[in-house]
Coordinates of all heavy atoms in Angstrom, one line a residue:
M1 N -1.8 -13.7 11.3 CA -1.0 -12.6 11.7 C -2.0 -11.6 12.3 O -3.0 -11.2 11.7 CB -0.3 -12.0 10.5 CG 0.5 -10.8 10.9 SD 1.3 -10.0 9.4 CE 2.1 -11.3 8.7
L3 N -2.2 -7.8 13.8 CA -1.5 -6.5 13.8 C -1.8 -5.8 15.1 O -3.0 -5.7 15.6 CB -1.9 -5.7 12.6 CG -1.6 -6.3 11.3 CD1 -2.2 -5.4 10.2 CD2 -0.1 -6.3 11.1
L4 N -0.8 -5.1 15.7 CA -1.0 -4.4 16.9 C -0.9 -2.9 16.7 O -0.2 -2.4 15.8 CB 0.1 -4.8 17.9 CG 0.1 -6.3 18.3 CD1 1.3 -6.6 19.2 CD2 -1.2 -6.7 19.0
H6 N -1.2 0.8 15.6 CA -1.5 1.6 14.4 C -0.9 1.0 13.1 O -0.6 1.7 12.2 CB -1.0 3.1 14.5 CG -1.7 3.8 15.7 ND1 -2.9 4.4 15.5 CD2 -1.3 4.0 16.9 CE1 -3.2 4.9 16.7 NE2 -2.3 4.7 17.5
R7 N -0.8 -0.3 13.1 CA -0.2 -0.9 11.9 C -1.2 -1.3 10.8 O -2.3 -1.6 11.1 CB 0.6 -2.2 12.3 CG 1.7 -1.9 13.3 CD 2.8 -1.2 12.7 NE 3.9 -0.9 13.6 CZ 4.8 0.0 13.4 NH1 4.8 0.7 12.3 NH2 5.7 0.2 14.3
I8 N -0.7 -1.3 9.6 CA -1.6 -1.6 8.4 C -0.9 -2.6 7.6 O 0.3 -2.5 7.3 CB -1.8 -0.3 7.6 CG1 -2.5 0.8 8.4 CG2 -2.7 -0.7 6.4 CD1 -2.4 2.1 7.7
L9 N -1.5 -3.7 7.2 CA -1.0 -4.8 6.4 C -1.5 -4.5 4.9 O -2.7 -4.4 4.7 CB -1.4 -6.1 6.8 CG -0.9 -7.3 6.0 CD1 0.6 -7.5 6.3 CD2 -1.6 -8.6 6.4
C10 N -0.5 -4.3 4.0 CA -0.9 -3.9 2.6 C -0.2 -4.9 1.6 O 0.8 -5.5 1.9 CB -0.3 -2.5 2.3 SG -0.9 -1.3 3.5
T11 N -0.8 -4.9 0.5 CA -0.2 -5.6 -0.7 C -0.1 -4.7 -1.8 O -1.0 -3.8 -2.0 CB -1.0 -6.9 -1.0 OG1 -0.3 -7.6 -2.0 CG2 -2.4 -6.6 -1.4
Y35 N -0.7 0.9 -2.6 CA -1.0 -0.4 -2.0 C -2.5 -0.6 -1.6 O -3.2 0.4 -1.5 CB -0.2 -0.6 -0.7 CG 1.3 -0.7 -0.9 CD1 2.1 0.5 -1.0 CD2 1.9 -1.9 -1.1 CE1 3.4 0.4 -1.2 CE2 3.3 -1.9 -1.3 CZ 4.0 -0.8 -1.4 OH 5.4 -0.8 -1.6
D39 N -5.4 -5.8 6.0 CA -5.8 -5.9 7.4 C -5.3 -4.7 8.2 O -4.4 -4.0 7.7 CB -5.3 -7.2 8.0 CG -6.0 -7.6 9.3 OD1 -7.0 -7.0 9.6 OD2 -5.5 -8.5 10.0
S59 N 9.5 6.2 3.6 CA 9.1 5.2 4.6 C 9.3 3.8 4.0 O 8.9 3.5 2.9 CB 7.6 5.4 4.9 OG 6.8 5.3 3.7
D60 N 10.0 3.0 4.8 CA 10.3 1.6 4.3 C 9.3 0.6 4.7 O 8.9 -0.2 3.9 CB 11.7 1.2 4.9 CG 12.8 2.1 4.4 OD1 12.7 2.5 3.3 OD2 13.7 2.3 5.2
G61 N 8.7 0.7 5.9 CA 7.8 -0.3 6.3 C 8.5 -1.6 6.6 O 9.8 -1.7 6.5
L62 N 7.8 -2.7 6.9 CA 8.4 -4.0 7.1 C 7.8 -5.0 6.1 O 6.6 -5.2 6.0 CB 8.0 -4.5 8.5 CG 8.4 -5.9 8.9 CD1 9.9 -6.0 9.0 CD2 7.7 -6.3 10.2
Q63 N 8.7 -5.5 5.3 CA 8.3 -6.5 4.3 C 8.1 -7.9 4.8 O 9.1 -8.3 5.5 CB 9.2 -6.5 3.1 CG 9.3 -5.2 2.4 CD 10.2 -5.2 1.2 OE1 10.9 -6.1 1.0 NE2 10.1 -4.1 0.4
V64 N 7.0 -8.5 4.6 CA 6.7 -9.8 5.1 C 6.2 -10.7 4.0 O 5.4 -10.3 3.1 CB 5.6 -9.7 6.2 CG1 5.2 -11.1 6.7 CG2 6.0 -8.8 7.3
E70 N 3.7 -11.4 -1.0 CA 4.5 -10.3 -0.3 C 3.5 -9.2 0.2 O 2.7 -8.7 -0.4 CB 5.4 -9.7 -1.3 CG 6.5 -10.6 -1.8 CD 7.4 -9.9 -2.8 OE1 7.5 -8.6 -2.8 OE2 8.1 -10.6 -3.5
Y71 N 3.8 -8.9 1.5 CA 3.0 -7.9 2.2 C 3.9 -6.8 2.7 O 5.1 -7.0 2.9 CB 2.2 -8.5 3.4 CG 1.2 -9.5 3.0 CD1 1.4 -10.8 3.2 CD2 -0.1 -9.0 2.5 CE1 0.4 -11.7 2.9 CE2 -1.0 -9.9 2.2 CZ -0.8 -11.3 2.4 OH -1.8 -12.2 2.1
L72 N 3.4 -5.7 3.0 CA 4.1 -4.6 3.6 C 3.4 -4.1 4.8 O 2.2 -3.8 4.7 CB 4.3 -3.4 2.6 CG 5.2 -2.3 3.0 CD1 6.6 -2.7 3.1 CD2 5.1 -1.1 2.0
V73 N 4.0 -4.0 6.0 CA 3.4 -3.5 7.2 C 3.9 -2.1 7.4 O 5.0 -1.8 7.5 CB 3.8 -4.4 8.4 CG1 3.2 -3.8 9.7 CG2 3.4 -5.8 8.2
L74 N 2.9 -1.2 7.4 CA 3.1 0.3 7.5 C 2.4 0.8 8.8 O 1.5 0.2 9.3 CB 2.6 1.0 6.3 CG 3.2 0.7 5.0 CD1 2.4 1.3 3.8 CD2 4.7 1.2 4.9
S75 N 2.8 2.0 9.2 CA 2.2 2.6 10.4 C 1.2 3.7 9.9 O 1.6 4.5 9.0 CB 3.3 3.3 11.2 OG 2.7 4.0 12.2
E76 N 0.0 3.7 10.4 CA -1.0 4.7 10.0 C -0.5 6.1 10.3 O -0.7 7.1 9.6 CB -2.3 4.5 10.7 CG -3.4 5.5 10.3 CD -4.6 5.4 11.2 OE1 -4.4 5.1 12.4 OE2 -5.6 5.7 10.7
D79 N 3.4 6.8 7.9 CA 3.8 6.3 6.6 C 2.9 6.4 5.4 O 3.3 6.3 4.3 CB 4.2 4.8 6.8 CG 5.3 4.6 7.8 OD1 6.1 5.4 7.9 OD2 5.3 3.5 8.4
V80 N 1.6 6.7 5.6 CA 0.7 6.5 4.5 C -0.2 7.7 4.3 O -0.5 8.5 5.2 CB -0.2 5.3 4.6 CG1 0.7 4.0 4.6 CG2 -1.0 5.3 5.9

Side-chain angles (χ1 to χ4, degrees):
M1 178 183 310
L3 298 172
L4 302 174
H6 297 278
R7 300 291 178 196
I8 303 168
L9 182 68
C10 304
T11 183
Y35 294 88
D39 197 11
S59 60
D60 294 327
L62 174 67
Q63 294 182 351
V64 178
E70 292 183 19
Y71 294 104
L72 185 67
V73 179
L74 297 168
S75 172
E76 179 193 30
D79 300 329
V80 298

